[in-house]
Amino acid sequence: MSDTASSESFHGHAHHASPPPAGVEVRHDWALAEVRALYGMPLLDLVHRAQTVHRAVFQDNKVQLCSLLSIKTGGCSEDCAYCPQAARYKTGVKAEKLMAVADVLSAASKARSAGATRFCMGAAWREVKDGPQFDSVLEMVRGVRALGMEACATLGMLTEGQAKRLKEAGLDAYNHNLDTSPEHYGDIISTRLYEDRLRTLDRVRGAGISVCCGGIIGLGESVDDRCNLLRTLANQDHHPESVPINALVAVEGTPLEDQPRVETVDMVRTIATARILMPQSMVRLSAGRQQMNEEAQLLCMMAGANSLFFGEKLLTTGNPEYTQDMALLEKAGIRPLEPRRER
Ligand code: SAM
Ligand code: DTB
Ligand code: SF4
């Protein structure tokens, strides 16, 4: 392996080791009432406050372009009510085998040429099983790192040993979302517990991998649920380095197929509140962009989102066209974060 760079933020971006700039609070003791008070502020006051925090921490004001690939699609044993990949729902997603390492790396290389600095590999697994498939995933991680991108994976629950092996392979970040509040979780997923999620997150953190953890809005949750999700994320011992905020993509065949589209104002409030609660984290405007117009996406960035997934597909659902995204960034003068590491 020629790649020996450490997993610290290689973009020179703010990360948790550095103290926050003057005037920016990093807290882990948010009360629900405080979070609600922020979330419920007049929208433009809230956005102004979030933008002020954002600019203090991220002085270069760039947006990270991440690429997402489903390396193992469908056939999942879990019952997450939002998910088109759960085997039990008839959604038109068909179950596939784990992709070959070479195919994943050729997709990664294309993503890199298109400007991605982070490559995230998703598998529709409940948990990782040791064996040849996990060995292939480790190979993919090494390959992505050798291309000079941040490597991220989302593979379901992990044991301590698996987290350690992912770290040794060079994995920068692991995505494992809490999705919603502890109170609402049981209405969305019955095949695992909130505590299972928290345990995997501890193992990821314990192995020295950076944590990517966020949620979904539009699942039928209350404002308190949204605030309690954000509060749970912020009140961990360390803020997740990355916080993806997804708007539900309502997929036919899932129990949530008839959920109304998330309103722009709700997405903006959620992102702004996440930015204020977790000032030094990358906040990702994740699923749901295809359903948003350009103005809504720009408002989300104004509210502190500094990362997005680009490319024609998320895992199984659509995403804006590459050329459309590039045109939006270009006309708005938004500069993408560039990779610092050479291959
Ligand atoms: N199976 C692993 C797990 O659940 O942790 C990894 C892949 S899973 C598809 C990754 C995340 O995608 C989920 O935690 C959820 O937050 C998000 N997601 C899945 N379906 C979605 C949908 N229809 N709309 C928005 N986000 C979704
Ligand atoms: C995250 O929070 N959102 C991404 C990424 N992490 C893995 C996944 C979104 C999936 C949307 C539904 C789909 O395309 O299947
Ligand atoms: Fe499986 Fe992950 Fe989808 Fe849940 S979100 S059904 S665990 S792929």
Side-chain angles (χ1 to χ4, degrees), residues 152-219:
C152 178
T154 180
L155 315 167
M157 293 184 257
L158 293 180
T159 64
E160 236 178 85
Q162 289 163 346
K164 197 163 158 271
R165 289 181 71 196
L166 284 165
K167 172 70 186 174
E168 283 161 6
L171 191 75
D172 294 282
Y174 195 79
N175 166 252
H176 202 63
N177 290 336
L178 290 177
D179 285 338
T180 190
S181 68
E183 295 76 18
H184 191 55
Y185 202 73
D187 295 336
I188 302 298
I189 298 149
S190 79
T191 50
R192 58 167 188 260
L193 300 172
Y194 214 67
E195 288 72 48
D196 295 324
R197 294 306 262 189
L198 293 168
R199 243 190 309 273
T200 291
L201 290 167
D202 277 347
R203 290 170 182 160
V204 169
R205 176 72 68 208
I209 298 169
S210 94
V211 170
C212 172
C213 183
I216 311 179
I217 66 169
L219 303 173

Side-chain angles (χ1 to χ4, degrees), residues 82 84-85 123 125 154 156 176-177 179 197 216 246-249 287 315:
Y82 49 76
Q85 303 199 68
W125 287 329
T154 180
H176 202 63
N177 290 336
D179 285 338
R197 294 306 262 189
I216 311 179
N246 297 276
L248 175 72
V249 180
L315 291 172

Side-chain angles (χ1 to χ4, degrees), residues 75-297:
C76 184
S77 62
E78 300 285 83
D79 71 351
C80 312
Y82 49 76
C83 187
Q85 303 199 68
R88 65 191 76 202
Y89 311 136
K90 293 237 160 344
T91 62
V93 170
K94 63 173 180 26
E96 287 166 22
K97 287 197 302 219
L98 181 67
M99 284 175 70
V101 176
D103 294 342
V104 171
L105 295 183
S106 107
S109 170
K110 277 197 200 115
R112 179 179 179 273
S113 308
T117 64
R118 180 161 168 127
F119 191 73
C120 180
M121 296 168 278
W125 287 329
R126 168 183 167 76
E127 74 242 310
V128 169
K129 295 195 178 69
D130 291 317
Q133 299 212 330
F134 185 45
D135 297 343
S136 295
V137 172
L138 297 173
E139 208 46 52
M140 294 170 194
V141 170
R142 284 189 279 266
V144 169
R145 283 295 303 259
L147 285 167
M149 285 184 287
E150 293 180 354
C152 178
T154 180
L155 315 167
M157 293 184 257
L158 293 180
T159 64
E160 236 178 85
Q162 289 163 346
K164 197 163 158 271
R165 289 181 71 196
L166 284 165
K167 172 70 186 174
E168 283 161 6
L171 191 75
D172 294 282
Y174 195 79
N175 166 252
H176 202 63
N177 290 336
L178 290 177
D179 285 338
T180 190
S181 68
E183 295 76 18
H184 191 55
Y185 202 73
D187 295 336
I188 302 298
I189 298 149
S190 79
T191 50
R192 58 167 188 260
L193 300 172
Y194 214 67
E195 288 72 48
D196 295 324
R197 294 306 262 189
L198 293 168
R199 243 190 309 273
T200 291
L201 290 167
D202 277 347
R203 290 170 182 160
V204 169
R205 176 72 68 208
I209 298 169
S210 94
V211 170
C212 172
C213 183
I216 311 179
I217 66 169
L219 303 173
E221 73 285 349
S222 64
V223 166
D224 274 9
D225 288 319
R226 283 179 199 163
C227 293
N228 266 327
L229 164 68
L230 295 173
R231 183 172 164 248
T232 307
L233 293 168
N235 285 354
Q236 296 177 87
D237 291 344
H238 302 271
H239 292 167
E241 283 79 359
S242 154
V243 180
I245 304 294
N246 297 276
L248 175 72
V249 180
V251 177
E252 208 182 313
T254 63
L256 297 178
E257 63 183 2
D258 292 328
Q259 278 297 310
R261 199 175 69 81
V262 169
E263 286 199 46
T264 300
V265 167
D266 292 359
M267 195 66 180
V268 172
R269 284 188 185 283
T270 305
I271 288 172
T273 307
R275 168 53 65 219
I276 296 165
L277 262 50
M278 294 166 280
Q280 294 178 294
S281 303
M282 299 295 287
V283 174
R284 296 183 200 281
L285 170 56
S286 300
R289 276 201 311 119
Q290 201 178 34
Q291 288 71 36
M292 297 168 78
N293 63 20
E294 294 189 336
E295 292 78 0
Q297 295 180 56

Side-chain angles (χ1 to χ4, degrees), residues 32-62:
L32 175 61
E34 291 178 292
V35 181
R36 261 194 356 217
L38 285 171
Y39 186 95
M41 279 170 77
L43 187 75
L44 299 184
D45 294 347
L46 174 60
V47 169
H48 179 260
R49 179 150 167 190
Q51 173 71 194
T52 304
V53 169
H54 188 82
R55 287 300 177 114
V57 178
F58 296 95
Q59 288 172 13
D60 60 359
N61 192 33
K62 291 185 174 166

